[in-house]
Amino acid sequence: VYGLLGLAGDADELGIRPDYTTSTTLAQVFTQTARAIIQKNWKIQRKRGLQILRYGSLGQRKSAPKNQTDLPSWVPEWNGKIAKTYQREMSFLACGEIRMPDLVPTSSSTILGLRAFCVGAIVDLGEQARVDIWRRSPDGAKKIVGFFDNVRRLLNM
């Protein structure tokens, strides 16, 4: 991150200053960078301000190296291959073009505060369909049937 600051045309606007002290963790650098990008983009083009969240783990982080155990789920892991958590282009327009959520201050730098409307609550989750993997496993057919049983259960809720 610090090495790329010299190449970024908007580095001064982001307000990120390299801190090479041993007390600064990788998770802190990643979190500070993600927050700076969100805040800068928010001021310029609110619609795109939260697009960086597409690259966070959102609870799906595959590994947690010792220096990243406190990395918030909304912060991308910039030290490896970055993949989108989900693909839709305009993922944060549940309210249409009318109004985007407001950024709000929080008590911790690891918490991203957004003021928005609650439109529902998640009460249960199903598992991700892994048909490609299941097809090759000995009990794959059983897993596929179980997946559809779970889908039926969720639809009946």
Side-chain angles (χ1 to χ4, degrees), residues 11 34 42 48 56 68 81 106 118 142-143:
W42 197 261
R48 300 276 187 206
Q68 281 182 224
K81 182 181 177 193
T106 61
C118 178
K142 203 183 282 186
K143 289 182 178 184

Side-chain angles (χ1 to χ4, degrees), residues 36-104:
I37 290 170
I38 289 170
Q39 289 173 333
K40 176 188 178 279
N41 288 342
W42 197 261
K43 292 174 190 170
I44 296 170
Q45 189 179 18
R46 291 182 65 159
K47 187 186 293 185
R48 300 276 187 206
L50 297 177
Q51 291 301 312
I52 195 170
L53 296 181
R54 295 168 68 195
Y55 299 95
S57 71
L58 300 177
Q60 299 177 25
R61 200 166 309 285
K62 291 182 176 41
S63 62
K66 195 185 325 184
N67 56 1
Q68 281 182 224
T69 53
D70 55 347
L71 190 63
S73 63
W74 55 272
V75 176
E77 290 181 86
W78 279 307
N79 62 340
K81 182 181 177 193
I82 298 177
K84 292 178 185 174
T85 306
Y86 49 93
Q87 300 296 323
R88 293 189 54 208
E89 184 58 33
M90 295 306 293
S91 303
F92 297 97
L93 290 178
C95 59
E97 297 286 337
I98 300 168
R99 184 175 173 186
M100 295 300 294
D102 296 319
L103 290 173
V104 294

Side-chain angles (χ1 to χ4, degrees), residues 97-152:
E97 297 286 337
I98 300 168
R99 184 175 173 186
M100 295 300 294
D102 296 319
L103 290 173
V104 294
T106 61
S107 60
S108 169
S109 64
T110 62
I111 298 172
L112 180 65
L114 299 170
R115 185 180 331 277
F117 298 100
C118 178
V119 293
I122 297 171
V123 294
D124 202 351
L125 297 172
E127 67 177 297
Q128 180 180 2
R130 308 294 302 229
V131 178
D132 294 353
I133 296 169
W134 293 342
R135 253 190 305 196
R136 290 176 266 169
S137 72
D139 62 341
K142 203 183 282 186
K143 289 182 178 184
I144 292 171
V145 170
F147 171 78
F148 284 109
D149 286 343
N150 196 28
V151 169
R152 184 180 308 115

